[in-house]
């Protein structure tokens, strides 16, 4: 069942739980309300999830809530939310978990993600699932609203509230239906059959399809019709521009569990092989999921291509992405709107064409000739690109008007310009730091991209050469 989150106006009168000081509401759904609270013994903020009174009156459900909550509390992994405590007090059942403030994947989908970002998010979720499945726990409700982001960009799978141990024989039901969200249910889960980790991988495939297309694969007049579609309808077909990922969707969303990858780890290995086939033109395109997409595409197609200096730049780079802060990993990958390619490599959509990628052509101003003006503009672009919210924008693209291009033009006028030399070093340092972080987090494609960008600035940087080699060897499976 889909849980709709709404912000509430305050904390219910009389709600007190020993050891916790409730600060404010975070959201509410049909099954629980969530509050920001302080765990007083450790003086740390937690997300306190309080079960609804209706469910708390169901003895079978509360017993399962406590039993399965204790199972998930044993999970400790960077891509899984940490559960600190689960208990009841005077008929109130609650769970205290790690408070993660970076928002949900659903929110980020609505603003825009590049294809590489989408794939890296899916990989991190798969890594969390691999750990949970290895501990004998299946999530059973993998969906965008349950994917959260930490401040450094780490992807975290949350809400194991309906998880179950894979070695138990019972099938959890509520009001006669399988617990979960119909849009993402595996066929076996929709039938109310026992599930294992491969059911979560099916849901991951549904989520990947939605991230690429903008909506889940199956529609229906009611939740039962959607669940039935997962059982009876064929695996959905991706549009031609994403056909290189069709085998991935086919595997994840196979009707029979035995036809899916054996584990999240096996899926990540398969995805790495297909990722190497990604069309270059898709690296910087932004997939958006909003009602204004069609109009944006039509408007983009009518813009003139000013000259050979025209570059394609996303119209939808959201300011909320925290991924470019120092030390961010996934975050640092291929930020929305700043991997830009020549216009000839990405053709604008024809008016009325249906697509999930919004691009627009913008002309780059001619470079100024005065040395001081060159350096001033270059330094302004450098400072702009270094801000966490701008994700490296204006550092190396467009070629003539980026910080890199302007510093290089300044050196042509004054080969010994200390300001230009220092500026170029700062750009190279920027990419070296991000490449190193990506490599350390095994985000090999991102590491390779960042190292290559840094070598555009300084081809002699040995640390960048080493990082590039490390990523290339990893991608080859060496």
């Amino acid at each position: 069942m889909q849980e709709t989150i709404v912000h509430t106006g305050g904390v219910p009168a009389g709600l007190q739980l020993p050891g916790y000081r409730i600060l404010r509401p975070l959201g509410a759904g049909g099954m629980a309300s969530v509050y920001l609270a302080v765990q007083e013994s450790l003086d740390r903020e937690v997300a306190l999830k309080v079960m609804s009174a209706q469910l708390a009156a169901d003895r079978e459900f509360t017993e399962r809530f406590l039993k399965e909550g204790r199972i998930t509390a044993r999970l400790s992994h960077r891509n899984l939310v940490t559960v600190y405590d689960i208990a009841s007090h005077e008929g109130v059942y609650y769970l205290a978990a790690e408070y993660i403030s970076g928002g949900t994947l659903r929110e980020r989908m609505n603003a825009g993600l590049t294809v590489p970002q989408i794939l890296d998010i899916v990989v991190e979720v798969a890594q969390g699932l691999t750990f949970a499945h290895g501990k004998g726990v299946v999530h059973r409700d993998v969906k965008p609203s349950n994917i959260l982001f930490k401040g450094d960009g780490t992807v975290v799978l949350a809400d194991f509230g309906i998880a179950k141990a894979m070695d138990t024989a019972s099938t959890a039901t509520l009001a006669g239906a399988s617990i979960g969200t119909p849009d993402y249910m595996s066929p076996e889960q929709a039938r109310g059959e026992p599930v294992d980790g491969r059911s979560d991988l099916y849901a991951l495939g549904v989520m990947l399809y939605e991230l690429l297309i903008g909506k889940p694969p199956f529609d229906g007049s009611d939740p039962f019709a959607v669940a039935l579609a997962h059982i009876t309808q064929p695996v959905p077909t991706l549009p031609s521009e994403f056909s290189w990922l069709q085998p991935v969707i086919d595997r994840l969303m196979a009707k029979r569990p035995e036809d899916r990858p054996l584990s999240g780890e096996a899926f990540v290995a398969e995805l790495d092989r297909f990722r190497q086939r990604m069309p270059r033109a898709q690296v910087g395109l932004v997939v958006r999921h909003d009602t204004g997409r069609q109009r944006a595409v039509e408007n983009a197609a009518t813009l003139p291509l000013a000259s050979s200096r025209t570059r394609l730049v996303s119209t939808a780079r959201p300011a909320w992405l925290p991924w470019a802060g120092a030390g961010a990993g996934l975050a640092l990958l291929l930020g929305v709107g700043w991997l830009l390619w020549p216009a000839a490599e990405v053709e604008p959509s024809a008016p009325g064409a249906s697509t999930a990628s919004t691009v627009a052509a913008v002309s780059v101003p001619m470079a100024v000739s005065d040395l001081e003006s060159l350096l001033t503009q270059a330094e302004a672009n450098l400072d702009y690109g270094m801000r966490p919210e701008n994700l490296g924008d204006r550092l190396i693209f467009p070629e003539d008007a980026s910080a890199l291009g302007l510093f290089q033009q300044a050196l042509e006028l004054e080969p010994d310009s200390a300001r230009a030399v220092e500026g170029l070093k700062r750009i190279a340092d920027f990419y070296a730091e991000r490449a190193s972080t990506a490599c350390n987090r095994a985000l090999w494609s991102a590491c390779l991209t960042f190292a290559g960008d840094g070598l555009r600035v300084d081809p002699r940087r040995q640390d960048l050469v080493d990082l590039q080699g490390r990523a290339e060897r990893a991608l080859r499976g060496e």
Side-chain angles (χ1 to χ4, degrees):
M1 59 186 63
Q2 179 67 46
E3 189 172 327
T4 303
I5 300 298
V6 295
H7 291 288
T8 54
V11 178
L15 178 59
Q16 293 184 342
L17 297 174
Y20 295 94
R21 184 173 74 256
I22 299 176
L23 302 179
R24 59 182 173 86
L26 295 174
M31 298 177 67
S33 297
V34 184
Y35 304 93
L36 177 63
V38 173
Q39 187 177 14
E40 294 176 325
S41 61
L42 296 174
D43 193 28
R44 66 180 171 190
E45 289 186 337
V46 299
L48 197 63
K49 188 169 187 176
V50 180
M51 185 189 297
S52 71
Q54 179 183 3
L55 292 179
D58 184 328
R59 181 176 178 180
E60 179 183 356
F61 193 90
T62 56
E63 288 179 352
R64 186 171 62 246
F65 174 81
L66 293 174
K67 178 181 178 181
E68 296 176 358
R70 290 176 183 129
I71 293 172
T72 59
R74 297 200 297 265
L75 301 177
S76 179
H77 187 271
R78 63 182 296 274
N79 297 122
L80 301 177
V81 69
T82 301
V83 175
Y84 299 132
D85 185 23
I86 185 164
S88 65
H89 175 69
E90 297 182 350
V92 177
Y93 290 79
Y94 64 91
L95 178 150
E98 178 182 11
Y99 174 53
I100 299 173
S101 60
T104 70
L105 176 57
R106 173 67 64 195
E107 295 164 345
R108 300 190 178 203
M109 288 166 60
N110 292 339
L113 293 165
T114 64
V115 175
Q117 287 172 349
I118 288 170
L119 298 182
D120 276 299
I121 289 168
V122 170
V123 164
E124 292 216 47
V125 174
Q127 290 171 342
L129 289 173
T130 296
F131 183 85
H133 298 162
K135 297 295 183 180
V137 177
V138 57
H139 188 281
R140 298 199 303 166
D141 200 22
V142 176
K143 59 185 179 181
S145 58
N146 281 340
I147 310 300
L148 307 179
F149 292 85
K150 293 185 178 180
D152 67 353
T154 300
V155 178
V156 179
L157 176 59
D159 201 352
F160 277 79
I162 66 170
K164 67 185 288 287
M166 290 190 288
D167 58 358
T168 62
S170 65
T171 56
T173 59
L174 181 66
S178 296
I179 296 178
T181 305
D183 280 338
Y184 307 92
M185 277 186 178
S186 67
E188 61 271 24
Q189 186 178 2
R191 288 191 293 261
E193 299 173 352
V195 298
D196 61 21
R198 293 169 297 182
S199 181
D200 285 341
L201 294 182
Y202 181 96
L204 188 64
V206 174
M207 193 175 77
L208 173 57
Y209 180 93
E210 182 180 8
L211 286 165
L212 294 170
I213 305 307
K215 63 178 183 179
F218 301 120
D219 295 321
S221 57
D222 56 57
F224 296 100
V226 175
L228 182 62
H230 283 286
I231 298 172
T232 61
Q233 296 298 311
V235 176
T237 302
L238 292 168
S240 58
E241 62 266 31
F242 296 127
S243 60
W244 59 281
L245 282 171
Q246 187 64 50
V248 177
I249 295 294
D250 290 343
R251 284 274 284 160
L252 287 174
M253 293 188 62
K255 298 300 180 184
R256 302 190 311 164
E258 56 266 35
D259 293 331
R260 299 173 204 150
L262 292 176
S263 66
E265 184 179 25
F267 158 69
V268 170
E270 292 181 19
L271 181 60
D272 278 345
R273 292 195 295 270
F274 282 97
R275 188 168 185 164
Q276 295 175 46
R277 307 174 189 175
M278 183 190 305
R280 184 184 180 192
Q282 289 189 15
V283 174
L285 293 183
V286 178
V287 180
R288 301 183 64 194
H289 306 149
D290 61 5
T291 56
R293 181 173 63 242
Q294 184 63 55
R295 180 178 298 276
V297 170
E298 292 176 359
N299 289 343
T302 63
L303 293 175
L305 299 181
S307 71
S308 61
R309 294 185 172 198
T310 299
R311 295 293 183 270
L312 290 179
V313 55
S314 165
T315 61
R317 181 172 52 76
W320 40 253
L321 287 173
W323 294 344
L330 163 69
L332 306 172
L333 34 96
L334 317 182
V336 182
W338 62 278
L339 281 177
L340 314 173
W341 301 104
E345 295 183 37
V346 185
E347 296 180 3
S349 303
S354 176
T355 177
S357 300
T358 302
V359 295
V362 295
S363 58
V364 176
M366 296 294 292
V368 293
S369 58
D370 177 75
L371 177 62
E372 182 62 30
S373 296
L374 280 170
L375 292 170
T376 300
Q377 183 60 47
E379 289 165 347
N381 286 349
L382 177 59
D383 291 340
Y384 179 88
M386 291 289 186
R387 297 174 192 166
E389 68 270 22
N390 293 329
L391 299 165
D393 197 5
R394 304 184 189 173
L395 290 186
I396 63 174
F397 292 107
E399 293 179 2
D400 291 338
S402 65
L404 170 61
L406 294 170
F407 280 132
Q408 289 174 336
Q409 293 175 52
L411 287 174
E412 291 176 1
L413 296 176
E414 185 178 304
D416 297 327
S417 171
R419 288 169 61 185
V421 170
E422 175 60 23
L424 292 174
K425 181 180 182 301
R426 287 181 60 194
I427 300 173
D429 288 345
F430 176 92
Y431 288 110
E433 179 183 359
R434 279 142 186 81
S436 177
T437 301
C439 272
N440 289 339
R441 295 178 63 180
L443 299 171
W444 304 116
S445 295
C447 177
L448 187 63
T449 298
F450 289 129
D453 288 341
L455 289 171
R456 288 172 60 92
V457 183
D458 186 352
R460 296 173 296 179
R461 280 277 296 249
Q462 189 58 47
D463 56 342
L464 288 166
V465 172
D466 292 344
L467 288 165
Q468 184 182 59
R470 179 182 171 190
E472 289 174 343
R473 288 190 295 275
L475 290 170
R476 291 196 299 265
E478 297 177 3

